[in-house]
Amino acid sequence: MDREVKALIFDLDNTLIETSRASALAIRKTGELLKTTLGLDDDTISSICDKFKQKLFRECFEPAAGRSIDDVRAGHWEESLQETVGSITTPSLAAQCYSLWKNSRLEVLSLSPQICDLLKQLRSRYKLLLLTNGVAQTQREKVEAVKCEEFFNAIVVGGEHAEQKPFLSIFTLCFNMLGVEAQDCVMVGDSLDTDIQGGFNAGVRATVWISSAGGTVPEGSVKPDYTVPTVLDLPHVLEQLN
């Protein structure tokens, strides 16, 4: 007989909060600043913003290198501007772009009332842990902005440890923090490569993939045990597991 689920491990970005939507809005606002400041056409603005998004996607941050994540990301804007329009007459513009992008994104990030209710309901029955990959400062700022600490027994940020999801070591840390075993846990997240693969590597009881796009698993990818369009459907999965 299968063991009863005792703990739930949640990803943060695009699982509990709509980070992609917030990022798109922040990019749009920054584009408006560039248009006002430099008087550029829409295609040039799009090119600058696309370059920034590519740099963000390829980012490899090393805290030991002596630059903060804020410095690195302001640098992304500076490089994107230089690569698109050459030298800029406003030296502080890249810093302004970064500040507007960062603050706009944090301002619109939130846990919806429905997700807050769900977490309260789940917390009454299960141990809950938030496990998020990313740079420590960036992820802690999001956690603070969305005020989610009260819902979790523990919060683990990958950037504060030697390895992040999908590596086994960070899952072992989570199990130890909660005082449970892998088979007591369900992993919930939107990324097949980190959340679902990580849960599979760690041997959790089940993995739940949050896929708002419809849930077709690419060829060669790890297969989740369950696929749902929103985390709000998690209670139905837990009913089946228990």
Side-chain angles (χ1 to χ4, degrees):
M1 183 178 163
D2 281 324
R3 298 156 68 132
E4 188 171 333
V5 175
K6 294 179 185 173
L8 308 175
I9 300 177
F10 287 92
D11 170 55
L12 178 63
D13 293 300
N14 301 309
T15 296
L16 295 176
I17 59 174
E18 295 185 50
T19 311
S20 293
R21 187 183 69 84
S23 296
L25 190 141
I27 284 283
R28 208 157 51 241
K29 278 196 168 185
T30 312
E32 287 163 11
L33 170 70
L34 288 170
K35 195 168 188 174
T36 308
T37 310
L38 298 177
L40 300 171
D41 60 79
D42 290 344
D43 287 347
T44 307
I45 300 284
S46 291
S47 178
I48 294 167
C49 291
D50 286 346
K51 284 180 188 293
F52 172 76
K53 287 189 285 185
Q54 287 163 15
K55 292 175 195 299
L56 199 63
F57 181 73
R58 296 196 303 261
E59 183 177 84
C60 185
F61 177 65
E62 294 292 342
R67 294 176 77 203
S68 72
I69 189 64
D70 292 327
D71 292 337
V72 169
R73 290 182 173 176
H76 293 339
W77 279 111
E78 192 167 352
E79 289 166 13
S80 301
L81 283 159
Q82 285 176 349
E83 288 165 15
T84 311
V85 295
S87 59
I88 311 152
T89 52
T90 319
S92 63
L93 184 58
Q96 289 172 38
C97 286
Y98 172 62
S99 178
L100 179 62
W101 173 81
K102 173 182 171 175
N103 293 327
S104 299
R105 190 166 77 141
L106 287 173
E107 278 166 17
V108 294
L109 285 175
S110 66
L111 288 175
S112 71
Q114 296 92 332
I115 288 179
C116 289
D117 288 344
L118 171 70
L119 292 172
K120 281 178 196 163
Q121 173 199 331
L122 294 172
R123 180 81 192 266
S124 68
R125 181 167 179 183
Y126 306 98
K127 292 180 177 181
L128 305 187
L129 183 142
L130 183 68
L131 173 58
T132 175
N133 276 6
V135 177
Q137 178 190 321
T138 303
Q139 296 309 100
R140 288 289 175 188
E141 285 170 349
K142 288 179 194 167
V143 166
E144 191 177 326
V146 303
K147 300 178 173 58
C148 64
E149 296 100 322
E150 64 181 287
F151 301 111
F152 294 97
N153 297 84
I155 293 174
V156 177
V157 175
E160 295 171 353
H161 301 276
E163 294 179 319
Q164 307 195 38
K165 297 177 288 186
F167 287 99
L168 175 60
S169 63
I170 199 154
F171 283 88
T172 304
L173 171 77
C174 295
F175 303 149
N176 292 341
M177 287 174 84
L178 293 177
V180 296
E181 294 179 27
Q183 272 293 303
D184 299 323
C185 297
V186 172
M187 177 67 213
V188 184
D190 73 299
S191 169
L192 291 169
D193 294 339
T194 58
D195 303 317
I196 306 308
Q197 185 67 58
F200 179 80
N201 293 348
V204 296
R205 167 77 189 282
T207 54
V208 182
W209 183 35
I210 309 300
S211 175
S212 58
T216 307
V217 178
E219 194 66 39
S221 181
V222 66
K223 302 285 190 289
D225 296 305
Y226 299 89
T227 301
V228 292
T230 165
V231 74
L232 296 172
D233 290 335
L234 186 59
H236 303 309
V237 173
L238 294 171
E239 277 171 27
Q240 294 174 58
L241 283 168
N242 289 325

Coordinates of all heavy atoms in Angstrom, one line a residue, residues 49-130:
C49 N 15.0 45.5 -26.1 CA 14.3 44.7 -25.1 C 14.6 43.2 -25.3 O 14.8 42.4 -24.4 CB 12.8 45.0 -25.0 SG 12.5 46.7 -24.4
D50 N 14.5 42.8 -26.6 CA 14.8 41.4 -26.9 C 16.2 41.0 -26.5 O 16.5 39.9 -26.0 CB 14.6 41.1 -28.4 CG 13.1 41.1 -28.8 OD1 12.3 41.0 -27.8 OD2 12.8 41.1 -30.0
K51 N 17.2 41.9 -26.8 CA 18.6 41.6 -26.4 C 18.7 41.4 -24.9 O 19.4 40.6 -24.4 CB 19.5 42.7 -26.9 CG 19.8 42.7 -28.4 CD 20.7 43.8 -28.8 CE 20.9 43.9 -30.3 NZ 21.6 42.7 -30.9
F52 N 18.0 42.3 -24.2 CA 18.0 42.2 -22.7 C 17.5 40.9 -22.3 O 18.1 40.2 -21.4 CB 17.2 43.4 -22.0 CG 17.1 43.2 -20.6 CD1 18.1 43.4 -19.7 CD2 15.9 42.7 -20.0 CE1 18.0 43.2 -18.3 CE2 15.7 42.5 -18.7 CZ 16.8 42.8 -17.8
K53 N 16.4 40.5 -22.8 CA 15.7 39.2 -22.4 C 16.7 38.0 -22.7 O 16.8 37.1 -21.9 CB 14.4 39.0 -23.2 CG 13.3 39.9 -22.6 CD 11.9 39.6 -23.2 CE 11.8 40.1 -24.6 NZ 10.4 39.9 -25.1
Q54 N 17.4 38.1 -23.9 CA 18.3 37.0 -24.2 C 19.5 36.9 -23.2 O 19.9 35.9 -22.8 CB 18.9 37.2 -25.6 CG 17.9 37.0 -26.8 CD 18.3 37.6 -28.1 OE1 19.5 38.0 -28.3 NE2 17.4 37.6 -29.0
K55 N 20.0 38.1 -22.8 CA 21.1 38.1 -21.9 C 20.6 37.6 -20.5 O 21.4 36.9 -19.8 CB 21.6 39.6 -21.7 CG 22.3 40.1 -23.0 CD 22.8 41.5 -22.9 CE 23.1 42.1 -24.2 NZ 24.3 41.4 -24.8
L56 N 19.4 37.9 -20.1 CA 18.8 37.5 -18.9 C 18.7 35.9 -18.9 O 19.0 35.2 -18.0 CB 17.4 38.1 -18.7 CG 16.8 38.1 -17.3 CD1 17.7 39.0 -16.4 CD2 15.4 38.7 -17.4
F57 N 18.2 35.4 -20.1 CA 18.0 34.0 -20.2 C 19.4 33.2 -20.1 O 19.5 32.1 -19.6 CB 17.3 33.7 -21.6 CG 17.1 32.3 -21.8 CD1 16.1 31.6 -21.1 CD2 17.8 31.5 -22.7 CE1 15.8 30.2 -21.3 CE2 17.6 30.2 -22.9 CZ 16.6 29.5 -22.2
R58 N 20.4 33.8 -20.7 CA 21.7 33.2 -20.8 C 22.6 33.5 -19.5 O 23.8 33.1 -19.5 CB 22.5 33.6 -22.0 CG 21.8 33.1 -23.3 CD 22.8 33.2 -24.5 NE 23.3 34.6 -24.6 CZ 22.9 35.5 -25.5 NH1 21.9 35.2 -26.3 NH2 23.4 36.7 -25.6
E59 N 22.1 34.3 -18.6 CA 22.8 34.8 -17.5 C 23.5 33.7 -16.7 O 22.8 32.7 -16.4 CB 21.9 35.6 -16.6 CG 22.5 36.3 -15.4 CD 21.4 37.1 -14.7 OE1 20.7 36.5 -13.9 OE2 21.3 38.3 -15.0
C60 N 24.7 33.9 -16.4 CA 25.5 33.0 -15.5 C 26.1 33.8 -14.4 O 27.2 34.4 -14.6 CB 26.5 32.2 -16.2 SG 27.3 30.9 -15.2
F61 N 25.4 33.9 -13.2 CA 25.9 34.8 -12.2 C 26.8 34.1 -11.2 O 26.4 33.1 -10.7 CB 24.6 35.4 -11.4 CG 25.0 36.3 -10.3 CD1 25.6 37.5 -10.5 CD2 24.7 35.9 -9.0 CE1 26.0 38.3 -9.4 CE2 25.0 36.7 -7.9 CZ 25.6 37.9 -8.1
E62 N 27.9 34.7 -10.9 CA 28.9 34.2 -10.0 C 29.1 35.2 -8.9 O 29.8 36.2 -9.1 CB 30.2 33.9 -10.7 CG 30.2 32.8 -11.7 CD 30.0 31.4 -11.1 OE1 30.2 31.3 -9.9 OE2 29.6 30.5 -11.8
P63 N 28.5 35.0 -7.7 CA 28.7 36.0 -6.6 C 30.1 36.2 -6.2 O 30.5 37.4 -5.9 CB 27.9 35.3 -5.4 CG 27.0 34.3 -6.0 CD 27.7 33.8 -7.3
A64 N 31.0 35.2 -6.4 CA 32.4 35.4 -6.1 C 33.1 36.3 -7.0 O 34.2 36.8 -6.7 CB 33.1 34.0 -6.1
A65 N 32.5 36.7 -8.1 CA 33.2 37.6 -9.1 C 33.2 39.0 -8.6 O 33.9 39.9 -9.2 CB 32.5 37.5 -10.4
G66 N 32.5 39.3 -7.5 CA 32.6 40.7 -7.0 C 31.6 41.7 -7.5 O 31.5 42.8 -7.0
R67 N 30.7 41.3 -8.4 CA 29.6 42.2 -8.9 C 28.3 41.7 -8.3 O 28.1 40.5 -8.3 CB 29.6 42.2 -10.4 CG 30.8 42.8 -11.1 CD 30.6 42.7 -12.6 NE 29.7 43.7 -13.2 CZ 29.1 43.5 -14.3 NH1 29.2 42.4 -15.0 NH2 28.3 44.5 -14.8
S68 N 27.5 42.6 -8.0 CA 26.1 42.2 -7.5 C 25.2 41.9 -8.7 O 25.5 42.2 -9.8 CB 25.5 43.3 -6.7 OG 25.1 44.4 -7.6
I69 N 24.1 41.2 -8.4 CA 23.2 40.8 -9.5 C 22.6 42.1 -10.1 O 22.3 42.2 -11.3 CB 22.1 39.9 -9.0 CG1 21.2 39.4 -10.2 CG2 21.2 40.5 -7.9 CD1 22.0 38.5 -11.2
D70 N 22.5 43.2 -9.2 CA 22.0 44.5 -9.7 C 23.0 45.1 -10.8 O 22.6 45.6 -11.8 CB 21.8 45.5 -8.6 CG 20.6 45.1 -7.7 OD1 19.6 44.5 -8.2 OD2 20.7 45.3 -6.5
D71 N 24.3 45.0 -10.5 CA 25.3 45.5 -11.4 C 25.3 44.7 -12.7 O 25.3 45.3 -13.8 CB 26.7 45.3 -10.8 CG 26.9 46.2 -9.6 OD1 26.2 47.3 -9.5 OD2 27.8 45.9 -8.7
V72 N 25.1 43.4 -12.6 CA 25.1 42.5 -13.8 C 24.0 42.8 -14.7 O 24.1 43.0 -15.9 CB 25.1 41.0 -13.3 CG1 24.9 40.1 -14.5 CG2 26.5 40.6 -12.7
R73 N 22.8 43.0 -14.1 CA 21.6 43.2 -14.9 C 21.5 44.6 -15.4 O 21.0 44.8 -16.6 CB 20.3 42.8 -14.1 CG 20.3 41.3 -13.9 CD 19.1 40.8 -13.2 NE 19.1 39.3 -13.3 CZ 18.2 38.5 -12.6 NH1 17.2 39.1 -11.9 NH2 18.3 37.2 -12.8
A74 N 22.0 45.6 -14.7 CA 22.1 46.9 -15.3 C 23.1 46.9 -16.5 O 22.9 47.5 -17.5 CB 22.6 47.9 -14.2
G75 N 24.1 46.0 -16.4 CA 25.1 45.8 -17.5 C 24.4 45.2 -18.7 O 24.7 45.5 -19.8
H76 N 23.4 44.3 -18.5 CA 22.6 43.7 -19.6 C 22.0 44.9 -20.4 O 22.0 44.8 -21.6 CB 21.6 42.8 -19.1 CG 22.1 41.5 -18.4 ND1 23.3 41.0 -18.6 CD2 21.5 40.7 -17.6 CE1 23.5 39.9 -17.9 NE2 22.4 39.7 -17.3
W77 N 21.3 45.8 -19.7 CA 20.7 46.9 -20.4 C 21.7 47.8 -21.1 O 21.4 48.2 -22.2 CB 19.9 47.8 -19.4 CG 18.5 47.2 -19.0 CD1 18.2 46.7 -17.8 CD2 17.4 47.0 -19.9 NE1 16.9 46.2 -17.9 CE2 16.4 46.4 -19.1 CE3 17.2 47.4 -21.2 CZ2 15.1 46.1 -19.7 CZ3 15.9 47.1 -21.8 CH2 14.9 46.4 -21.0
E78 N 22.8 48.0 -20.5 CA 23.8 48.9 -21.1 C 24.3 48.2 -22.4 O 24.4 48.9 -23.4 CB 25.0 49.1 -20.1 CG 26.0 50.2 -20.5 CD 26.9 50.6 -19.4 OE1 26.8 50.1 -18.3 OE2 27.9 51.3 -19.7
E79 N 24.6 47.0 -22.3 CA 25.1 46.2 -23.5 C 24.0 46.2 -24.6 O 24.3 46.4 -25.8 CB 25.5 44.8 -23.1 CG 26.8 44.7 -22.3 CD 27.0 43.4 -21.7 OE1 26.3 42.4 -22.1 OE2 27.9 43.3 -20.8
S80 N 22.8 46.0 -24.2 CA 21.7 45.9 -25.2 C 21.5 47.2 -25.9 O 21.3 47.3 -27.1 CB 20.4 45.5 -24.5 OG 20.5 44.3 -23.8
L81 N 21.7 48.3 -25.2 CA 21.6 49.7 -25.8 C 22.7 49.9 -26.7 O 22.5 50.4 -27.8 CB 21.6 50.7 -24.6 CG 20.2 50.9 -23.9 CD1 20.4 51.6 -22.5 CD2 19.2 51.7 -24.7
Q82 N 23.9 49.6 -26.3 CA 25.1 49.8 -27.1 C 25.1 49.0 -28.4 O 25.4 49.5 -29.4 CB 26.4 49.5 -26.3 CG 26.7 50.6 -25.3 CD 27.9 50.3 -24.4 OE1 28.4 49.1 -24.4 NE2 28.4 51.2 -23.6
E83 N 24.7 47.7 -28.2 CA 24.6 46.9 -29.4 C 23.6 47.3 -30.4 O 23.7 47.0 -31.6 CB 24.3 45.4 -29.0 CG 25.5 44.8 -28.2 CD 25.1 43.5 -27.5 OE1 24.0 43.0 -27.8 OE2 25.8 43.0 -26.6
T84 N 22.6 48.0 -30.0 CA 21.5 48.4 -30.9 C 21.6 49.8 -31.4 O 21.4 50.1 -32.6 CB 20.1 48.3 -30.1 OG1 20.0 47.0 -29.5 CG2 19.0 48.4 -31.1
V85 N 22.0 50.8 -30.5 CA 22.0 52.2 -31.0 C 23.4 52.8 -30.8 O 23.5 54.0 -31.1 CB 20.9 53.0 -30.2 CG1 19.6 52.6 -30.6 CG2 21.1 53.0 -28.7
G86 N 24.4 52.1 -30.4 CA 25.7 52.7 -30.2 C 25.8 53.4 -28.9 O 25.1 53.2 -27.9
S87 N 26.7 54.4 -28.8 CA 26.9 55.1 -27.6 C 25.7 56.0 -27.2 O 25.0 56.5 -28.1 CB 28.2 56.0 -27.7 OG 28.0 56.9 -28.7
I88 N 25.4 56.1 -25.9 CA 24.2 56.9 -25.5 C 24.7 58.1 -24.8 O 25.7 58.2 -24.0 CB 23.4 56.0 -24.5 CG1 23.2 54.6 -25.1 CG2 22.1 56.6 -24.2 CD1 23.1 53.5 -24.0
T89 N 23.9 59.2 -25.0 CA 24.3 60.5 -24.4 C 23.9 60.5 -22.9 O 24.3 61.4 -22.2 CB 23.6 61.6 -25.2 OG1 22.2 61.3 -25.3 CG2 24.2 61.8 -26.6
T90 N 23.0 59.6 -22.5 CA 22.6 59.6 -21.1 C 23.2 58.4 -20.4 O 22.7 57.2 -20.5 CB 21.0 59.4 -21.0 OG1 20.4 60.2 -22.0 CG2 20.5 59.8 -19.6
P91 N 24.4 58.6 -19.7 CA 25.1 57.5 -19.1 C 24.3 56.7 -18.1 O 24.5 55.5 -17.9 CB 26.3 58.1 -18.4 CG 26.4 59.5 -19.1 CD 25.0 59.9 -19.5
S92 N 23.3 57.4 -17.4 CA 22.6 56.7 -16.4 C 21.4 55.9 -16.9 O 20.6 55.3 -16.1 CB 22.1 57.7 -15.3 OG 21.2 58.7 -15.9
L93 N 21.2 56.0 -18.2 CA 19.9 55.4 -18.8 C 19.8 53.9 -18.5 O 18.8 53.4 -18.2 CB 19.9 55.7 -20.3 CG 18.6 55.2 -21.0 CD1 17.3 55.8 -20.3 CD2 18.6 55.5 -22.5
A94 N 20.9 53.1 -18.6 CA 20.9 51.7 -18.4 C 20.5 51.4 -16.9 O 19.7 50.5 -16.7 CB 22.3 51.1 -18.7
A95 N 21.0 52.2 -16.0 CA 20.6 52.0 -14.6 C 19.1 52.3 -14.4 O 18.5 51.6 -13.6 CB 21.5 52.9 -13.7
Q96 N 18.7 53.4 -15.1 CA 17.2 53.7 -15.0 C 16.4 52.6 -15.5 O 15.3 52.2 -14.9 CB 16.9 55.0 -15.8 CG 17.5 56.3 -15.1 CD 17.3 57.5 -16.1 OE1 16.3 57.6 -16.8 NE2 18.3 58.3 -16.1
C97 N 16.8 52.0 -16.7 CA 16.1 50.9 -17.3 C 16.0 49.7 -16.3 O 14.9 49.1 -16.1 CB 16.7 50.5 -18.6 SG 16.5 51.6 -20.0
Y98 N 17.1 49.4 -15.7 CA 17.1 48.3 -14.8 C 16.3 48.5 -13.6 O 15.5 47.6 -13.2 CB 18.6 47.9 -14.4 CG 18.6 46.9 -13.3 CD1 18.1 45.6 -13.6 CD2 19.0 47.2 -12.0 CE1 18.0 44.6 -12.6 CE2 19.0 46.2 -11.0 CZ 18.5 44.9 -11.3 OH 18.4 44.0 -10.3
S99 N 16.4 49.7 -13.0 CA 15.6 50.0 -11.8 C 14.1 49.9 -12.1 O 13.3 49.3 -11.4 CB 15.9 51.4 -11.3 OG 15.2 51.7 -10.2
L100 N 13.7 50.5 -13.3 CA 12.3 50.5 -13.7 C 11.8 49.0 -13.9 O 10.7 48.6 -13.5 CB 12.0 51.3 -14.9 CG 10.6 51.4 -15.4 CD1 9.6 51.9 -14.4 CD2 10.5 52.2 -16.7
W101 N 12.6 48.3 -14.7 CA 12.3 46.9 -15.0 C 12.1 46.0 -13.7 O 11.1 45.3 -13.5 CB 13.3 46.3 -15.9 CG 13.1 44.8 -16.1 CD1 12.3 44.2 -17.0 CD2 13.8 43.7 -15.4 NE1 12.4 42.8 -16.9 CE2 13.3 42.5 -15.9 CE3 14.8 43.7 -14.4 CZ2 13.7 41.3 -15.5 CZ3 15.2 42.4 -13.9 CH2 14.7 41.3 -14.5
K102 N 13.1 46.1 -12.8 CA 13.1 45.4 -11.6 C 11.9 45.7 -10.7 O 11.2 44.8 -10.2 CB 14.4 45.6 -10.8 CG 14.4 44.9 -9.4 CD 15.7 45.2 -8.7 CE 15.7 44.8 -7.3 NZ 16.9 44.9 -6.6
N103 N 11.7 47.0 -10.4 CA 10.7 47.5 -9.5 C 9.3 47.2 -10.1 O 8.3 46.8 -9.4 CB 10.8 48.9 -9.2 CG 12.1 49.1 -8.3 OD1 12.5 48.3 -7.6 ND2 12.8 50.3 -8.5
S104 N 9.1 47.4 -11.4 CA 7.8 47.1 -12.0 C 7.4 45.7 -11.9 O 6.3 45.3 -11.7 CB 7.8 47.5 -13.5 OG 8.1 48.9 -13.7
R105 N 8.4 44.8 -12.1 CA 8.2 43.4 -12.0 C 7.8 43.0 -10.6 O 6.8 42.3 -10.4 CB 9.4 42.6 -12.4 CG 9.2 41.1 -12.6 CD 10.3 40.5 -13.3 NE 11.5 40.3 -12.5 CZ 12.3 39.2 -12.6 NH1 12.0 38.2 -13.5 NH2 13.4 39.0 -11.8
L106 N 8.5 43.5 -9.6 CA 8.2 43.1 -8.2 C 6.8 43.7 -7.8 O 6.1 43.0 -7.0 CB 9.3 43.7 -7.3 CG 10.6 42.9 -7.3 CD1 11.7 43.7 -6.4 CD2 10.5 41.5 -6.8
E107 N 6.5 44.9 -8.3 CA 5.2 45.5 -7.9 C 4.0 44.7 -8.3 O 3.0 44.7 -7.6 CB 5.1 46.9 -8.5 CG 5.8 48.0 -7.7 CD 6.0 49.3 -8.6 OE1 5.2 49.4 -9.6 OE2 6.8 50.1 -8.2
V108 N 4.1 44.0 -9.5 CA 2.9 43.3 -9.9 C 2.9 41.8 -9.5 O 1.9 41.1 -9.8 CB 2.7 43.4 -11.5 CG1 2.4 44.8 -11.8 CG2 3.9 42.9 -12.2
L109 N 4.0 41.3 -9.0 CA 4.0 39.9 -8.5 C 3.2 39.8 -7.2 O 3.3 40.6 -6.3 CB 5.5 39.5 -8.2 CG 6.4 39.2 -9.4 CD1 7.8 38.9 -8.9 CD2 5.8 38.0 -10.2
S110 N 2.3 38.8 -7.2 CA 1.5 38.5 -6.0 C 1.0 37.1 -6.0 O 0.9 36.5 -7.1 CB 0.4 39.5 -6.0 OG -0.5 39.3 -7.0
L111 N 0.7 36.6 -4.8 CA -0.1 35.4 -4.7 C -1.6 35.8 -4.8 O -2.0 36.7 -4.1 CB 0.1 34.8 -3.3 CG 1.5 34.1 -3.0 CD1 1.5 33.7 -1.6 CD2 1.8 33.0 -4.0
S112 N -2.3 35.1 -5.7 CA -3.7 35.4 -5.9 C -4.4 35.0 -4.6 O -4.0 34.1 -3.9 CB -4.3 34.7 -7.1 OG -4.4 33.3 -6.8
P113 N -5.6 35.6 -4.3 CA -6.4 35.2 -3.1 C -6.7 33.7 -3.1 O -6.7 33.1 -2.1 CB -7.6 36.1 -3.2 CG -7.2 37.3 -4.0 CD -6.2 36.8 -5.0
Q114 N -7.0 33.2 -4.4 CA -7.3 31.8 -4.5 C -6.1 30.9 -4.1 O -6.3 29.9 -3.4 CB -7.7 31.4 -5.9 CG -9.0 32.1 -6.3 CD -8.7 33.5 -7.0 OE1 -7.7 34.1 -6.8 NE2 -9.7 33.9 -7.9
I115 N -4.9 31.3 -4.5 CA -3.7 30.5 -4.1 C -3.4 30.6 -2.7 O -3.0 29.7 -2.0 CB -2.5 30.9 -5.0 CG1 -2.8 30.4 -6.5 CG2 -1.2 30.4 -4.5 CD1 -1.7 30.7 -7.5
C116 N -3.6 31.8 -2.1 CA -3.5 32.0 -0.6 C -4.4 31.0 0.1 O -4.0 30.4 1.1 CB -3.7 33.4 -0.2 SG -2.5 34.6 -0.7
D117 N -5.6 31.0 -0.3 CA -6.6 30.1 0.3 C -6.2 28.6 0.2 O -6.3 27.8 1.1 CB -8.0 30.3 -0.3 CG -8.7 31.6 0.1 OD1 -8.2 32.2 1.1 OD2 -9.6 32.0 -0.6
L118 N -5.7 28.3 -1.0 CA -5.3 26.9 -1.2 C -4.1 26.5 -0.3 O -4.1 25.5 0.4 CB -4.8 26.7 -2.7 CG -4.1 25.4 -3.0 CD1 -5.1 24.3 -3.0 CD2 -3.4 25.5 -4.4
L119 N -3.1 27.4 -0.2 CA -2.0 27.2 0.7 C -2.4 27.0 2.2 O -1.9 26.2 2.9 CB -0.9 28.2 0.5 CG -0.2 28.2 -0.9 CD1 0.7 29.5 -1.0 CD2 0.6 27.0 -1.1
K120 N -3.3 27.9 2.6 CA -3.8 27.8 4.0 C -4.5 26.4 4.2 O -4.3 25.8 5.2 CB -4.8 28.9 4.2 CG -4.2 30.3 4.5 CD -5.3 31.3 4.7 CE -4.7 32.7 4.6 NZ -5.8 33.7 4.4
Q121 N -5.3 26.0 3.3 CA -6.0 24.8 3.3 C -5.0 23.6 3.4 O -5.1 22.7 4.2 CB -6.9 24.6 2.1 CG -7.6 23.3 1.9 CD -8.1 23.1 0.5 OE1 -8.4 24.1 -0.2 NE2 -8.2 21.9 0.0
L122 N -4.0 23.6 2.5 CA -3.0 22.6 2.5 C -2.1 22.5 3.7 O -1.8 21.5 4.2 CB -2.1 22.7 1.2 CG -2.8 22.5 -0.1 CD1 -1.9 22.9 -1.3 CD2 -3.4 21.1 -0.3
R123 N -1.8 23.7 4.2 CA -0.9 23.8 5.4 C -1.6 23.1 6.6 O -0.9 22.7 7.5 CB -0.6 25.3 5.7 CG 0.3 25.6 6.9 CD 1.8 25.4 6.5 NE 2.6 25.4 7.7 CZ 3.2 26.4 8.2 NH1 3.1 27.6 7.6 NH2 4.0 26.3 9.2
S124 N -2.9 23.1 6.7 CA -3.6 22.5 7.8 C -3.4 20.9 7.8 O -3.6 20.3 8.8 CB -5.1 22.8 7.8 OG -5.7 22.2 6.7
R125 N -3.0 20.4 6.6 CA -2.9 18.9 6.5 C -1.5 18.4 6.2 O -1.1 17.3 6.6 CB -3.8 18.5 5.4 CG -3.8 17.0 5.3 CD -5.0 16.4 4.4 NE -4.9 15.0 4.3 CZ -5.7 14.3 3.6 NH1 -6.7 14.8 2.9 NH2 -5.5 13.0 3.4
Y126 N -0.7 19.3 5.5 CA 0.6 18.8 5.1 C 1.7 19.8 5.5 O 1.4 21.0 5.8 CB 0.7 18.8 3.5 CG -0.4 18.0 2.9 CD1 -1.5 18.6 2.4 CD2 -0.2 16.6 2.8 CE1 -2.5 17.8 1.8 CE2 -1.2 15.8 2.1 CZ -2.4 16.4 1.7 OH -3.4 15.7 1.1
K127 N 3.0 19.3 5.5 CA 4.1 20.3 5.6 C 4.3 20.8 4.2 O 4.3 20.1 3.2 CB 5.3 19.5 6.1 CG 5.2 19.0 7.6 CD 6.5 18.3 8.0 CE 6.4 17.8 9.4 NZ 7.6 17.1 9.9
L128 N 4.6 22.1 4.2 CA 4.8 22.8 2.9 C 6.2 23.4 2.9 O 6.6 24.1 3.8 CB 3.8 23.9 2.6 CG 2.3 23.5 2.7 CD1 1.4 24.7 2.3 CD2 1.9 22.3 1.9
L129 N 6.9 23.2 1.7 CA 8.2 23.9 1.5 C 8.3 24.5 0.2 O 7.8 24.0 -0.8 CB 9.3 22.8 1.7 CG 10.8 23.3 1.6 CD1 11.7 22.6 2.6 CD2 11.3 23.2 0.2
L130 N 8.8 25.7 0.1 CA 9.0 26.4 -1.1 C 10.5 26.2 -1.5 O 11.4 26.5 -0.8 CB 8.8 27.9 -0.9 CG 8.8 28.8 -2.2 CD1 7.7 28.5 -3.2 CD2 8.8 30.3 -1.8

